[in-house]
Amino acid sequence: MNDELKKYLFADRSTRVQTVYVEEAWQTGLEHQTLPAAVRTLLGELTAAAILLASNLKFDGSLVLQVQGDGPVALLVVECTADLNIRATASLREDAVIADQATMQELINQTGQGRFIVVLDPSAHNPHMQPYQGIVPLTGENIAQALEDYMLHSEQLDTRIWLNASDHRLVGLLLQKLPGQGGTPAEANVEQSWERALHLAATIQPEELRDLHPQTLIHRLFWEEELLELEGLSIQWHCPCSREKVANMLHMLGKAEVEDILQERDVVEISCNFCGKPYQFDPVDCASLFIDNPDNLQSGDKTLH
């Protein structure tokens, strides 16, 4: 199955339904990140949630979700662009001891200082749009509950979210009540439809969310409803780090500093602070960085291709 987000609408336009299913992109993202099991699960749930929300962005840019606090996990951060390119990482405190079954509150919010942060970051193509940042206390027992609280109190949108994450797969289901015409008979019908959608979705079992094909899950939950199915959107992992960027950073560091590093070890090894991907430069690579040739950073790189 392709990594994909699917959207549906109830025929009366009362409710938005979305599913997300990610395997390849998530496994790519974890390839260079060594994280405890509980942290991988939490980061995966946050990633699935970011995809569900970013698919509704009305501008060219990114949605960034951050969870930070005072527990053994200092920070979780996920970025998802409007075209569903994702990246995600976690920062742990030094010497953190994390049990496999640790909860979100145990990991991040041990003394109530945890925060849930939502950032809307427009691209450079939107010079007239300013970034937005919303910060709320970290509530609930999991990522889904924290995000539901944020959407209700900060965005005034009734939202229900179900998430599941493992080392192999991310899945998620979102229901969101769409704005109607307040006080009209149509609004009353919309409210009834929303309540019915909630009642049906509440029957989902964790193993169904984890194991069922999303289309099968939607059919099982809403087979009596008339749903409008929209075109699916593909999902990819993308971190903008590159060997060329690392080379430029080493060049800025200076020849003397790089040579000092090489005296201590055989190669200079640098990992991306975000995705953990490692980049290695041996003495020949490093020497080529300081040859007076504007095209050298690329042509002198033996392993770039």
Side-chain angles (χ1 to χ4, degrees), residues 134-162:
I135 304 176
V136 297
L138 184 62
T139 59
E141 295 302 317
N142 51 50
I143 293 294
Q145 291 179 11
L147 194 52
E148 288 171 356
D149 287 348
Y150 174 85
M151 295 301 294
L152 180 61
H153 295 106
S154 297
E155 306 297 328
Q156 286 76 55
L157 286 174
D158 282 315
T159 306
R160 296 294 184 273
I161 300 172
W162 294 260

Side-chain angles (χ1 to χ4, degrees), residues 84-140:
L84 303 190
N85 286 327
I86 59 171
R87 59 177 182 156
T89 193
S91 296
L92 310 185
R93 288 193 162 82
E94 189 175 355
D95 299 325
V97 177
I98 297 175
D100 287 347
Q101 302 303 318
T103 66
M104 180 184 74
Q105 295 291 339
E106 291 170 342
L107 290 172
I108 301 175
N109 199 25
Q110 290 188 342
T111 62
Q113 300 302 308
R115 294 291 180 265
F116 193 96
I117 303 168
V118 177
V119 179
L120 301 180
D121 186 17
S123 72
H125 301 297
N126 289 320
H128 302 296
M129 182 176 178
Q130 298 299 314
Y132 164 83
Q133 178 175 275
I135 304 176
V136 297
L138 184 62
T139 59

Side-chain angles (χ1 to χ4, degrees), residues 3-15:
D3 295 350
E4 188 178 42
L5 179 133
K6 290 287 292 183
K7 292 185 176 185
Y8 307 83
L9 283 176
F10 271 51
D12 61 5
R13 304 302 198 274
S14 66
T15 303

Side-chain angles (χ1 to χ4, degrees), residues 85-87 237-242 245 272 274-277 279:
N85 286 327
I86 59 171
R87 59 177 182 156
W237 176 272
H238 174 71
C239 183
C241 69
S242 70
K245 289 181 179 179
C272 173
F274 206 104
C275 71
K277 184 176 181 179
Y279 296 91

